[in-house]
Amino acid sequence: MFLSVFDIFKIGIGPSSSHTMGPMTAAARFLDALRSGTQGYPEAGEPASVTVSLHGSLAFTGKGHATDRAVILGLIGLLPDTLDPDEAERLESEVHARCTIAPQGLGTLQFNPATDLIFDYGPPLELHANGMIFRAFDAAGTLCHEETYYSIGGGFVLSHAELLSDREGRPNSLRDEKEAKQFPFPFGTAKEMLEMGAASGKSIAEMKRANEQVIHGEDLEAKLKLVLEAMDGCVERGLRCDGILPGGLKVRRRAKAIFAQLTDERGHNFGQPHVVNDWLSVYAMAVNEENAAGGRVVTSPTNGAAGVVPAVLRYYRDHCRGANSAGERDLLLVAAAVGGLIKHNASISGAEVGCQGEVGSASAMAAAGLCAALGGSNEQIENAAEIALEHHLGMTCDPAAGLVQVPCIERNALGAIKAVSAASLALRGDGQHFMPLDNCIEVMRQTGHDMNLKYKETSTGGIAVNIPEC
């Protein structure tokens, strides 16, 4: 199971990778299945109508995360990485007005969002908290196709069969025979990563780049540049925009005003030494305000944690001595390597393990990446990731009103600050430390497994139920 840097960092839209991008992608996969006609019921006729039921966290916080909107857009054939947000709003309105969809190659299908898009608040589906069931019926109402999908975090989507197979056959290492032959450095744990680095004399960034070139070849650098530009563009848009975020909480955008204050104070002698934390915070908040507004963001590794890595990248570029474009690319590659380890061996899904899997993972990725960009050894990089992740363990996912706003926006700011602190601590040492990253990832997995469901993106506990009456 090779996870590319472009699997971890996907360009899409807000507010949620698991609740927006995932369901939109699942809808597109269902349309492809209908077009293929290979898995239908023989006694049924051609598809004439479609229904979708959302389960678990997708039901409980789906409206706040715009899951209903994502499903509608997916069913008309739009995808997260290419849709035009302004055009999407018009097309969604047309579906509500006509109660039909007309996906390419399938003709006109009946679909009334008010009755055919169902939020099921009962128990979640068996395999994952983010489950959805798509059904198609013929003109007589006979079921002609059904598929269950799970949005497992970061925009990744698996069918029921795929997730079942993944769980039954999940190895402890990525290094199976086939993958070992395909990729030069098929590490599936941090221990393997360090061992391969020691044996080859290569850095983590060099090993990750060699793996990526197997898939992307000469296009790799150009694709990395696109991701970096998308991240920085999101920061820039967030620093320019103000106003009230959508959703009903009336949360004000703050990044623009804070950025203006910081810019005005530059060069003055009265600034406090810790002002660098404000710069990190404003970069992260800018991204997550854009995400909350439904703008274009990069999963890093999720939308809810999309501000941490871009903030640390911007900090590296604009505030660190000796920063250069090669360092930015190394930061991205190493961050993706760590994110892949966490996703493979635990989870990056807030609905599965809480926010430790989102902001905690993002902070570990950013810490490792910054440590690499600043010249850290492989052992220091692994240490940086462990420090950042260790100090997010147990963090719950309890967004107010199911919106990716409170506490998510500020939480990304603190995740970025922790990432820089972790990288700095690791660089002060020699890479030797008590808790290996692999063990810390396993602790996160176990903690998420034991965590009460109400603290895993259902908005039924924690901050979500302890907010002031408005």
Side-chain angles (χ1 to χ4, degrees):
M1 183 180 176
F2 173 71
L3 288 174
S4 170
V5 61
F6 308 110
D7 293 323
I8 298 296
F9 298 118
K10 293 190 283 288
I11 299 172
I13 60 164
S16 172
S17 47
S18 61
H19 286 59
T20 310
M21 292 173 61
M24 195 181 303
T25 302
R29 286 191 58 179
F30 183 69
L31 293 180
D32 287 341
L34 288 183
R35 294 186 188 101
S36 71
T38 56
Q39 298 178 7
Y41 294 82
E43 67 275 12
E46 294 296 313
S49 64
V50 171
T51 67
V52 184
S53 60
L54 304 172
H55 301 262
S57 176
L58 292 181
F60 282 102
T61 62
K63 291 187 183 295
H65 286 76
T67 305
D68 45 354
R69 181 171 186 261
V71 169
I72 293 169
L73 296 178
L75 286 175
I76 61 177
L78 301 184
L79 290 171
D81 59 336
T82 56
L83 71 82
D84 178 340
D86 295 329
E87 179 71 2
E89 187 172 347
R90 179 186 66 80
L91 294 171
E92 181 196 2
S93 297
E94 289 182 358
V95 174
H96 281 280
R98 298 175 180 175
C99 296
T100 62
I101 55 174
Q104 186 176 8
L106 292 170
T108 300
L109 306 176
Q110 296 297 312
F111 179 73
N112 182 354
T115 56
D116 296 329
L117 183 53
I118 303 153
F119 289 81
D120 188 323
Y121 299 106
L125 300 181
E126 181 180 358
L127 294 185
H128 196 280
N130 288 336
M132 58 202 115
I133 303 174
F134 290 77
R135 296 181 176 94
F137 301 87
D138 66 14
T142 303
L143 182 68
C144 58
H145 192 82
E146 177 180 284
E147 187 61 82
T148 299
Y149 295 101
Y150 297 95
S151 182
I152 62 172
F156 291 91
V157 172
L158 294 176
S159 68
H160 182 86
E162 289 167 346
L163 184 53
L164 195 63
S165 174
D166 182 60
R167 291 194 175 179
E168 290 177 346
R170 168 180 276 182
N172 293 321
S173 168
L174 294 181
R175 195 165 32 168
D176 59 28
E177 183 179 351
K178 181 178 179 181
E179 193 153 79
K181 291 179 179 179
Q182 184 177 7
F183 298 104
F185 303 101
F187 51 83
T189 65
K191 182 175 184 289
E192 291 178 353
M193 181 175 71
L194 293 177
E195 289 173 346
M196 290 181 187
S200 65
K202 292 186 178 295
S203 69
I204 293 171
E206 289 171 334
M207 291 190 292
K208 182 63 174 168
R209 179 176 280 105
N211 287 343
E212 295 289 339
Q213 285 173 336
V214 171
I215 302 296
H216 303 289
E218 295 180 356
D219 295 333
L220 176 60
E221 297 304 318
K223 290 181 176 180
L224 288 174
K225 184 180 178 183
L226 285 177
V227 172
L228 289 166
E229 289 174 347
M231 286 182 172
D232 198 52
C234 188
V235 173
E236 287 296 327
R237 289 193 304 276
L239 294 176
R240 291 196 305 267
C241 295
D242 54 16
I244 304 297
L245 292 171
L249 288 181
K250 300 181 180 179
V251 172
R252 291 183 299 109
R253 286 183 182 247
R254 290 179 287 163
K256 180 180 179 181
I258 294 172
F259 180 66
Q261 293 172 18
L262 291 170
T263 302
D264 289 342
E265 293 170 6
R266 260 185 167 162
H268 294 177
N269 293 326
F270 55 78
Q272 296 289 352
H274 56 255
V275 71
V276 69
N277 288 339
D278 299 338
W279 284 102
L280 276 163
S281 296
V282 78
Y283 298 147
M285 291 170 65
V287 172
N288 285 87
E289 287 175 357
E290 272 297 290
N291 178 63
R296 188 167 298 281
V297 298
V298 180
T299 62
S300 312
T302 68
N303 282 32
V308 178
V309 173
V312 173
L313 267 164
R314 184 66 174 261
Y315 166 77
Y316 168 74
R317 191 190 76 186
D318 289 359
H319 299 265
C320 291
R321 294 186 182 91
N324 54 51
S325 59
E328 291 182 57
R329 293 192 293 272
D330 283 354
L331 195 159
L332 205 63
L333 287 165
V334 171
V338 170
L341 294 179
I342 296 172
K343 185 186 183 306
H344 177 68
N345 295 303
S347 176
I348 58 171
S349 167
E352 198 167 18
V353 296
C355 199
Q356 59 175 352
E358 297 204 34
V359 171
S361 297
S363 189
M365 292 162 57
L370 179 62
C371 188
L374 294 177
S377 68
N378 289 353
E379 289 74 18
Q380 288 172 321
I381 291 166
E382 185 262 0
N383 188 15
E386 186 278 326
I387 293 170
L389 184 60
E390 182 178 22
H391 298 289
H392 284 88
L393 292 175
M395 181 175 280
T396 59
C397 183
D398 50 355
L403 300 167
V404 194
Q405 298 178 18
V406 179
C408 317
I409 295 170
E410 289 179 354
R411 190 167 281 176
N412 275 256
L414 272 293
I417 291 170
K418 285 186 181 182
V420 173
S421 297
S424 183
L425 278 174
L427 286 166
R428 295 288 183 183
D430 60 3
Q432 302 302 309
H433 58 105
F434 182 79
M435 175 68 76
L437 176 58
D438 290 328
N439 296 55
C440 192
I441 292 171
E442 174 59 17
V443 172
M444 188 186 80
R445 188 194 67 78
Q446 293 175 8
T447 303
H449 179 271
D450 295 339
M451 189 180 288
N452 191 300
L453 184 63
K454 67 184 180 181
Y455 298 118
K456 294 196 283 189
E457 209 172 7
T458 60
S459 287
T460 55
I463 287 173
V465 298
N466 287 280
I467 54 177
E469 296 290 337
C470 299

